[in-house]
């Protein structure tokens, strides 16, 4: 799949242009634009390609369904027969109850508001963490002075888990809302910062030298070379940061929230609405997955060159 | 004979005067370049050849402005080369294209730094890529190109800012032999078209003869200039010249000079007589018999 996408990038029109008079001086390119032929092949039978893809993906799809199906089946029987074997299923809602409650909640504005509030907190905290983490990471990675001044502080603060900040955050910030956003920010800030620094440090020095020979200013070097060269690492940081942001958010909401999906889940426990606990968990998982997916899509959009065949395991 | 003769108002004159470069602190300092004086005249193609680790890359890095002289001066057109500049285009041995930019954007990079607007940049880049036969690949990413093509883009990118001199650090060292020969011809073509000075580092004798007006041979570390050999073969040069007497004479001369230095560079194990120890006959038991 990957190889195919990279070859598609050959522009047949441009290839034709170059076959013309420009060859007077230049020898033939060693590599012919092979994508031209493959692009033509691919255009004729999109249907067959879909069929082929289905056939190759089917076994994996079946196994996925089997895997999930077994889990739900176990859950069903464990709750049906009130399994009590050290691990207790006596109070656990059955899949059916969860489904019924989910149908009911799907009509509830309050529930959607909880989702909205959580997403807003994630978006705010994570965005601030991204801007600060990447900017500071670039500075710390690139400039010895910035590193000497800032890095010791961050290394000292880093081992303190974001959740441990909850009481302090409540005192620090004027509203509950800002302190929760702050906790979310803290959770994602450090992975983003550290991965950005790592990215800057692993920029191939020859690229910096090449840019300097091409007359780059100090700012141009940071903006046009160091930043794009670090993007793969930055996106690794964003993916990890997003995960930690959700962990921190849910914990903060459970402890001090008034709204939000974490608060909803904890409240369900207090109100003995056990089916809602499972729904809260599932929604948290799905939202987390969507957020990670959004980051991956954004990464692919910003780093089209990474789709090439030589780069395999991009996260 | 050289390009310098027929080029008016020529610039790109590199003068290296009693250059010394030492690395490390005073006590443990290692001298990489030792009292080197040399020049590249405007429009001239000059190669520096020497054993690995002889300081030839260091010398080039001083000319590029990446390394400061410990003693002596390096100037281009009278100005010290104390920091990198687009006046001195550089082509590296490692592939140094920006992987996140398309081939054309790579070529445009230097022009963008100069503040040229997008339309002019694109036009200039397309013209240059056309000259190098790379127009079909303008929208490719570097990772989709072969090694030889990457280096061609690297040369085009360095030429795009209209530098007075091109500095090349074993640019074809990583290429296979056939590709290298093609690249040498392309480079010669480009050089004749652009008429700029070239300082070319290599350890390939044939490459230095084929390309250069003059070849400097450097000694093993610490690097000194051991010899200066003019290459008076007519241009345009063709691969057939490799069998003409003058070519062979120069090649022999260069080979003798370099072999001597390579042996020194490899250290005390191999004396001047070189491979003397290797005529010991080894029986059917192989090396075990010797021990």
């Amino acid at each position: 799949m990957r190889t195919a996408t990279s070859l598609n990038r050959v522009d047949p029109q441009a290839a034709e242009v170059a076959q013309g008079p420009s060859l007077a001086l230049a020898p033939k390119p060693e590599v012919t634009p092979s994508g031209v032929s493959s692009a033509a092949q691919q255009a004729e039978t999109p249907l067959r390609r879909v069929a082929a893809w289905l056939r190759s993906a089917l076994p994996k799809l079946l196994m996925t369904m089997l895997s999930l199906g077994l889990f739900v089946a176990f859950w069903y029987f464990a709750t049906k027969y009130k399994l009590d074997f050290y691990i207790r299923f006596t109070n656990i809602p059955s899949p059916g109850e969860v489904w019924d409650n989910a149908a009911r909640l799907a009509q509830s504005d309050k529930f959607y508001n909880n989702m909205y509030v959580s997403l807003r907190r994630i978006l705010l905290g994570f965005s601030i963490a991204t801007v600060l983490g990447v900017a500071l990471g670039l500075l710390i990675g690139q400039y010895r002075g910035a590193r000497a001044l800032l890095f010791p502080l961050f290394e000292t603060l880093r081992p303190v888990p974001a959740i441990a900040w909850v009481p302090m955050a409540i005192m620090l910030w004027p509203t509950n809302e800002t302190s929760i956003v702050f906790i979310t920010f803290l959770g994602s800030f450090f992975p983003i910062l550290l991965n950005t620094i790592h990215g800057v440090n692993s920029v191939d020095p020859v690229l910096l030298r090449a840019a300097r020979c091409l007359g780059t200013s100090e700012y141009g070097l940071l903006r046009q070379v160091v930043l794009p060269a670090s993007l793969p690492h930055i996106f690794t940081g964003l993916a990890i940061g997003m995960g930690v942001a959700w962990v921190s958010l849910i914990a903060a909401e459970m402890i001090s929230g008034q709204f939000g999906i974490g608060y909803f889940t904890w409240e369900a426990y207090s109100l003995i609405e056990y089916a809602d606990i499972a729904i809260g968990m599932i929604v948290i998982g799905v939202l987390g997955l969507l957020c990670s997916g959004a980051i991956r899509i954004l990464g692919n959009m910003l780093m089209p060159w990474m789709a090439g065949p030589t780069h395999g395991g991009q996260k | 004979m050289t390009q310098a003769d027929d080029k008016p108002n020529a610039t790109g004159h590199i003068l290296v005067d009693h250059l010394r470069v030492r690395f490390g602190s005073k006590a443990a300092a290692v001298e990489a370049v030792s009292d080197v004086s040399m020049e590249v005249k405007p429009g001239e193609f000059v190669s520096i050849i020497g054993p690995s680790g002889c300081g030839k890359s260091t010398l080039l890095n001083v000319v590029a402005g990446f390394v400061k002289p410990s003693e002596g001066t390096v100037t281009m057109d009278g100005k010290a080369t104390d920091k990198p500049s687009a006046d001195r285009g550089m082509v590296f041995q490692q592939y140094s294209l920006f992987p996140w930019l398309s081939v054309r954007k790579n070529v445009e990079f230097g022009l963008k730094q100069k503040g040229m607007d997008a339309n002019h940049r694109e036009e200039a880049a397309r013209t240059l890529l056309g000259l190098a036969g790379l127009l079909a690949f303008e929208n490719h990413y570097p990772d989709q190109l072969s090694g030889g093509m990457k280096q061609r883009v690297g040369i085009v990118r360095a030429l795009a800012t209209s530098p007075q001199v091109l500095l090349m650090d074993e640019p074809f060292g990583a290429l296979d032999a056939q590709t290298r020969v093609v690249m040498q011809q392309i480079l010669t073509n480009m050089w004749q078209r652009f008429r700029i000075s070239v300082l070319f580092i290599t350890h390939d004798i044939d490459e230095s003869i084929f390309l250069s007006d003059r070849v400097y041979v450097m000694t093993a570390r610490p690097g000194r200039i051991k010899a200066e050999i003019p290459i008076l073969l007519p241009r345009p040069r063709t691969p057939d010249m490799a069998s003409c007497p003058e070519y062979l004479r120069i090649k022999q001369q260069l080979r003798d000079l370099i072999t001597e230095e390579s042996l020194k560079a490899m250290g005390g194990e191999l004396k001047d007589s070189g491979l003397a120890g290797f005529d010991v006959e080894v029986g059917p038991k192989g090396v075990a018999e010797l021990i």
Side-chain angles (χ1 to χ4, degrees), chain A residues 15-249:
Chain A
E16 267 170 36
V17 172
Q19 300 301 321
S22 64
L23 287 176
L25 165 117
K28 272 218 154 85
E30 303 98 295
V31 174
T32 52
S34 49
V36 175
S37 58
S38 87
Q41 282 169 11
Q42 164 208 336
E44 20 175 272
T45 55
L47 220 108
R48 195 174 294 175
R49 277 169 61 93
V50 171
W53 176 80
L54 260 179
R55 208 171 309 132
S56 68
L58 206 59
K60 203 181 154 201
L61 215 67
L62 284 175
M63 288 312 277
T64 306
M65 282 160 68
L66 183 69
S67 167
L68 293 176
L70 281 175
F71 173 74
V72 175
F74 170 75
W75 177 13
Y76 173 77
F77 286 112
T79 48
K80 182 172 182 180
Y81 297 106
K82 303 275 180 227
L83 183 67
D84 187 353
F85 189 71
Y86 189 70
I87 180 170
R88 300 159 300 151
F89 279 80
T90 39
N91 285 326
I92 303 297
S94 71
E97 292 171 68
V98 170
W99 180 261
D100 291 344
N101 266 30
R104 182 176 54 74
L105 281 174
Q107 314 292 324
S108 149
D109 286 345
K110 214 174 140 198
F111 184 68
Y112 287 115
N113 188 51
N114 280 325
M115 280 166 65
Y116 164 73
V117 167
S118 287
L119 279 174
R120 197 184 56 195
R121 287 167 177 162
I122 282 283
L123 205 68
L124 262 174
F126 184 76
S127 302
I128 298 170
T130 302
V131 171
L132 280 182
V134 171
L136 288 171
L138 288 176
L139 290 178
I140 291 173
Q142 185 72 356
Y143 301 112
R144 229 171 280 158
R147 184 181 198 104
L149 182 68
L150 296 170
F151 203 56
L153 172 67
F154 290 140
E155 277 300 274
T156 312
L157 293 179
R158 191 172 60 92
V160 182
I163 304 158
W165 276 86
V166 169
M168 187 71 82
I170 293 173
M171 292 193 293
L172 267 176
W173 298 92
T175 64
N176 236 354
E177 190 62 26
T178 40
S179 52
I180 293 178
V181 170
F182 175 69
I183 298 297
T184 313
F185 156 80
L186 268 185
S188 43
F189 174 69
F190 286 108
I192 296 173
L193 177 80
L194 291 181
N195 277 284
T196 305
I197 295 174
H198 180 56
V200 175
N201 290 337
S202 44
V203 174
D204 189 345
V206 79
L207 298 182
L208 300 177
R209 298 208 301 152
R212 288 206 166 99
C213 280
L214 292 165
T216 321
S217 65
E218 202 52 46
Y219 173 72
L221 200 69
L222 208 58
R223 167 76 190 69
Q224 293 176 56
V225 181
V226 176
L227 177 62
S230 316
L231 269 187
H233 281 106
I234 291 176
F235 267 88
T236 304
L238 294 183
I240 299 170
M242 183 54 93
V244 186
W246 273 101
V247 173
S248 315
L249 172 79

Side-chain angles (χ1 to χ4, degrees), chain B residues 1-51:
Chain B
M1 197 67 216
T2 66
Q3 296 288 312
D5 300 332
D6 48 28
K7 187 174 178 180
N9 303 324
T11 53
H13 185 197
I14 289 175
L15 205 59
V16 177
D17 189 29
H18 295 288
L19 172 71
R20 278 178 197 276
V21 180
R22 279 184 286 269
F23 291 122
S25 56
K26 277 246 163 78
V30 177
E31 195 164 64
V33 176
S34 175
D35 196 22
V36 165
S37 295
M38 58 156 301
E39 71 172 328
V40 183
K41 297 189 193 102
E44 194 182 23
F45 199 120
V46 172
S47 289
I48 297 177
I49 192 166

Side-chain angles (χ1 to χ4, degrees), chain A residues 4-28:
Chain A
T5 44
S6 75
L7 286 172
N8 288 347
R9 226 179 271 125
V10 178
D11 181 0
Q13 266 188 327
E16 267 170 36
V17 172
Q19 300 301 321
S22 64
L23 287 176
L25 165 117
K28 272 218 154 85

Side-chain angles (χ1 to χ4, degrees), chain A residues 6 30-31 209 224 311, chain B residues 61 113 131 137 143-144 152:
Chain A
S6 75
E30 303 98 295
V31 174
R209 298 208 301 152
Q224 293 176 56
H311 293 286
Chain B
N61 281 330
Q113 311 309 314
L131 285 178
F137 300 90
D143 276 352
Q144 298 170 286
R152 253 150 77 198

Side-chain angles (χ1 to χ4, degrees), chain A residues 257-270:
Chain A
Q258 286 165 342
F259 304 101
I261 198 72
Y263 170 74
F264 168 86
T265 307
W266 188 253
E267 194 197 26
Y269 177 72
S270 318

